[in-house]
Amino acid sequence: MNIRTTSFIFSLMLFSGCTPSALQMANNEADAASKAIPQKININTPFDAIQAKDALSKGNRKITGVLYHRLDITGRDEMGWPASPLIKNQPFKNASLSLFPESPAIVAFEKMFSEQQSTMKKWYTNPPSIFNQQPQTKLFLLPPGVVDYGIEVKTDDFGRYTFNNLKPGRYYLYTAGWKTGTYNKDVYAGSSQYSDGTGLYGVQGTAQHTRAVPVNYKTYLVYSEFVDVTSGSAAIDSRMQVDYNEMSIQYDK
């Protein structure tokens, strides 16, 4: 059971003014665990492979951009405005980035995916309570063949990427991956008494001590966007965001 689930259960205790029974606690934990197992949703929108193949035929347009994130030192996404000068754009280097021609199936996927992200972000970034209960995690499955009609490139060491030889049209860019890191956190390390040595009425007190301990984080990031290519090239600001749905999933292996 994760920390957010535990916090939610105790918030229910405080709200109701009573302590749940062992059975109620077990039911709450089982409900949270079941919601963390993703519900698989098939996207049944028809897919036209011939149209997709034609959209990927050679042209003379291109898409360029920089893939990056703005996580703070604890692995949390910067969400303030204006942007903090203390958090720098960090390239997502050597990552695979996919491009697909727009299709009804892709449009349906992005709509469902965005709505789920909004739902999970609200739960994940606000205190758990009776008014902010854990939603069901979901996985959206594209129709067979959709991912077969795409182009994949790698970002360089600075997060830069280029898709060349595109026809004018509307395309969908998508990538996702884990970002890991370590930061130091101060924790309580005891206390001690102190005095300035001036006798009975001198300054005396208790000093609190801390020590730094390393903390590892693991954050799942995602980037998705529709891009219109009309002129010679399109330059894209490709900022990755935290995938709160994926961060909340437990896979039943």
Side-chain angles (χ1 to χ4, degrees), residues 101-163:
E102 182 189 48
S103 67
I106 290 286
V107 171
F109 169 84
E110 175 62 18
K111 183 177 184 295
M112 295 180 188
F113 178 76
S114 296
E115 290 173 350
Q116 177 69 3
Q117 285 296 314
S118 179
T119 298
M120 297 305 299
K121 180 178 180 179
K122 178 182 177 182
W123 174 71
Y124 207 94
T125 59
N126 289 285
S129 70
I130 195 170
F131 304 108
N132 184 31
Q133 300 186 29
Q134 180 179 354
Q136 174 65 53
T137 55
K138 298 177 182 179
L139 286 180
F140 304 104
L141 306 177
L142 285 163
V146 174
V147 297
D148 296 331
Y149 292 90
I151 302 171
E152 184 176 285
V153 298
K154 287 273 191 181
T155 62
D156 66 12
D157 288 342
F158 306 97
R160 298 174 299 197
Y161 65 86
T162 301
F163 289 98

Side-chain angles (χ1 to χ4, degrees), residues 63 97-99 161 163 171-175 223-225 227:
I63 295 175
L97 178 64
S98 297
L99 173 148
Y161 65 86
F163 289 98
Y171 300 92
Y172 181 67
L173 305 184
Y174 181 88
T175 189
Y223 165 70
S224 63
E225 184 175 5
V227 178

Side-chain angles (χ1 to χ4, degrees), residues 68-241:
Y68 68 96
H69 65 83
R70 288 184 62 83
L71 298 182
D72 65 19
I73 62 171
T74 67
R76 293 177 174 84
D77 205 359
E78 181 204 37
M79 293 184 289
W81 183 262
S84 170
L86 301 178
I87 301 177
K88 306 298 183 184
N89 293 346
Q90 302 175 63
F92 210 69
K93 55 187 180 180
N94 303 317
S96 296
L97 178 64
S98 297
L99 173 148
F100 303 98
E102 182 189 48
S103 67
I106 290 286
V107 171
F109 169 84
E110 175 62 18
K111 183 177 184 295
M112 295 180 188
F113 178 76
S114 296
E115 290 173 350
Q116 177 69 3
Q117 285 296 314
S118 179
T119 298
M120 297 305 299
K121 180 178 180 179
K122 178 182 177 182
W123 174 71
Y124 207 94
T125 59
N126 289 285
S129 70
I130 195 170
F131 304 108
N132 184 31
Q133 300 186 29
Q134 180 179 354
Q136 174 65 53
T137 55
K138 298 177 182 179
L139 286 180
F140 304 104
L141 306 177
L142 285 163
V146 174
V147 297
D148 296 331
Y149 292 90
I151 302 171
E152 184 176 285
V153 298
K154 287 273 191 181
T155 62
D156 66 12
D157 288 342
F158 306 97
R160 298 174 299 197
Y161 65 86
T162 301
F163 289 98
N164 289 309
N165 303 320
L166 300 175
K167 294 174 61 175
R170 186 169 173 84
Y171 300 92
Y172 181 67
L173 305 184
Y174 181 88
T175 189
W178 291 100
K179 176 69 175 69
T180 60
T182 303
Y183 65 96
N184 289 326
K185 180 179 180 180
D186 289 335
V187 299
Y188 179 70
S191 62
S192 62
Q193 303 297 314
Y194 67 85
S195 171
D196 66 357
T198 58
L200 181 62
Y201 301 103
V203 178
Q204 300 178 9
T206 301
Q208 306 293 327
H209 304 291
T210 61
R211 62 185 178 88
V213 297
V215 178
N216 298 321
Y217 73 79
K218 188 177 181 182
T219 303
Y220 199 76
L221 296 168
V222 64
Y223 165 70
S224 63
E225 184 175 5
F226 283 105
V227 178
D228 290 305
V229 178
T230 54
S231 59
S233 64
I236 308 301
D237 178 12
S238 303
R239 177 180 172 179
M240 302 189 77
Q241 307 282 349

Side-chain angles (χ1 to χ4, degrees), residues 12-32:
L12 290 179
M13 294 166 54
L14 294 174
F15 185 84
S16 63
C18 61
T19 303
S21 66
L23 176 58
Q24 289 173 319
M25 287 289 290
N27 281 334
N28 290 336
E29 292 173 11
D31 182 62

